[in-house]
Amino acid sequence: MDLGSVIIAVAGVAGTLGGTFLTQRASERARRREIALLRDQEEGRENLLLRRTCYVEFNRAARQFTTALNKHLHVMRERAVEESDVEALEQAKADHRDRHSEAQMIAPDAVLARMSRVNRALSGVYGQVKRLERGAPEPGETTATAARDQAEIWNLLQAMRAAMRHDLGVTPEAPRPVETPEPIAAPARIPAAEPIAAAEPDGRPERRP
């Protein structure tokens, strides 16, 4: 076998081995991409399930705390507050606090902002209730104002649930904030035109005495 034939044979073997190696490398890269994609999908499903559980628990706890505040206000208007009444309110407050602490580590910013508004509103009404219960309300605080503020929390809960449902993919669009329209300015008053003097027969304005 001459040298040229040897070189051609070696080149052919090298090409075959190189092609096999490149094919294997490409196949390995494809498998790695597929494994990474499957891992990302699994992590996405786990994260979605974690957020759904968090939202369900927070919504439940916030509603129960809101209801407990309403019940406590009814008790304060109808009879003396007993220890069992205080314990029920404190338990609802503690459960809500725990769920809020968990949500702060899980919920995205848009949903967490809605949760924080609910939390602030609940804390504000709770403060009013406890001050009224002690007989040391701040100026203007009554059971009526506390009940009014407690009733307004339901609107915040509704907006919060809408944000949660959007994040979970239940609803296609995020809730839009309600904007208060600017008052329409009254049109400027146009001064009345001065009367035009009647003309005399010769075309000159009529002389007034």
Side-chain angles (χ1 to χ4, degrees):
M1 182 179 293
D2 59 9
L3 181 60
S5 298
V6 172
I7 293 174
I8 292 173
V10 171
V13 172
T16 301
L17 294 176
T20 303
F21 175 75
L22 292 176
T23 301
Q24 291 176 345
R25 290 290 301 274
S27 178
E28 290 176 1
R29 287 196 296 269
R31 283 197 297 270
R32 286 196 295 268
R33 287 195 297 267
E34 183 178 357
I35 292 173
L37 179 61
L38 291 174
R39 184 185 300 113
D40 291 341
Q41 291 176 349
E42 183 63 25
E43 290 178 355
R45 285 192 293 267
E46 292 178 355
N47 187 266
L48 180 65
L49 179 60
L50 182 63
R51 296 202 312 278
R52 181 187 296 119
T53 302
C54 169
Y55 295 167
V56 170
E57 292 296 322
F58 185 91
N59 181 61
R60 177 192 59 79
R63 288 176 62 88
Q64 289 185 349
F65 190 13
T66 305
T67 302
L69 286 167
N70 182 53
K71 181 179 179 181
H72 203 81
L73 285 167
H74 279 293
V75 169
M76 292 173 62
R77 286 193 291 261
E78 295 173 0
R79 59 175 173 81
V81 175
E82 300 177 356
E83 184 177 354
S84 60
D85 301 319
V86 176
E87 291 177 353
L89 179 60
E90 294 302 319
Q91 180 59 46
K93 178 179 181 295
D95 189 26
H96 172 264
R97 180 194 60 222
D98 293 342
R99 301 290 81 77
H100 187 235
S101 297
E102 294 174 359
Q104 288 176 323
M105 308 305 296
I106 299 173
D109 292 342
V111 179
L112 188 58
R114 297 285 184 177
M115 291 178 167
S116 297
R117 292 180 184 178
V118 171
N119 184 64
R120 287 194 298 270
L122 286 167
S123 298
V125 176
Y126 174 81
Q128 289 189 62
V129 168
K130 299 307 289 185
R131 286 189 293 272
L132 290 167
E133 186 181 302
R134 294 193 303 267
E138 292 184 353
E141 288 184 345
T142 64
T143 55
T145 61
R148 178 201 61 200
D149 294 344
Q150 180 272 336
E152 292 176 355
I153 296 176
W154 294 109
N155 293 329
L156 298 178
L157 287 171
Q158 183 179 9
M160 180 193 72
R161 286 194 302 273
M164 290 175 173
R165 288 167 59 85
H166 172 70
D167 180 57
L168 295 175
V170 179
T171 53
E173 295 183 359
R176 297 181 180 179
V178 178
E179 298 181 357
T180 303
E182 296 183 359
I184 301 175
R189 185 176 179 181
I190 302 175
E194 295 182 357
I196 300 175
E200 293 184 353
D202 59 1
R204 290 177 298 176
E206 179 183 0
R207 292 188 182 88
R208 295 183 178 180

